[in-house]
Amino acid sequence: MTGVIDAALLRQICLDAGADDVGFVALETPGLEGEVEYVREALPSTRSLIAVCVRLSRENFTSRAASMVNTEIDTAIPVLDRIGHRISIALQDLGFRALYPSVTFPVEAHRLPSRGWTVSHKPVAVAAGLGHLGIHRCVIHPKFGSFIGLGTVLTDAEVAPYSQPLDWNPCLGCYLCVAACPVGAIHNDGSFDFNSCYTGGSPGPSVRW
């Protein structure tokens, strides 16, 4: 079945499933062109993307102890998966098709070395009005800040109305993320050193004020 679902009803379904905030965007939305091929490989009838966010524990996530951060991440991932499952089942019961891709590390090895994941949660969240990307490459939610986990549900339902992107950027340009990055991967000119982030390289001249 394909059809239209009311955004207010779908939002309540998502909140009841455990989401802290949610937004809805059409797959054909400008800016998401890079997602279409991979999303339709997973669910060919996809018409809409449901962007879901959950809050993270700030103290765990900002702890200097890696074990505390890892504990929060390991806790949030199954929470997001469970929320995606509940939303998908609710949509299924309404006669729609729905699929929730993994929020953890990519495992679609047949696509490598291009990309191994089904959907990029960050651009979907931005398009669905859940925030904007900050200098640190994380989505900044207008209420919860950077302390969020993101997930996406694919569905063949059309949502009326769709969400709109934020018309303002919660990133203040304070560059605290630049100063706080332990490996110097974040630069205040907007560039990002993925290799330093990936390998845990030491801060150096690349950290520019």
Side-chain angles (χ1 to χ4, degrees), residues 22 29 35 39 69 92 105 117 151 154 157 180 189 201:
V22 64
T29 297
E35 305 304 311
V39 165
V69 180
Q92 179 178 294
F105 296 105
W117 57 94
L154 322 179
D189 64 357

Side-chain angles (χ1 to χ4, degrees), residues 22-48:
V22 64
F24 318 115
V25 64
L27 177 59
E28 303 294 345
T29 297
L32 298 181
E33 292 88 353
E35 305 304 311
V36 175
E37 174 186 352
Y38 302 100
V39 165
R40 286 192 171 148
E41 178 185 318
L43 185 65
S45 59
T46 299
R47 300 173 72 187
S48 305

Side-chain angles (χ1 to χ4, degrees), residues 13 37 106 139 152-153 189 197:
I13 288 172
E37 174 186 352
V139 175
T152 308
V153 177
D189 64 357
C197 183

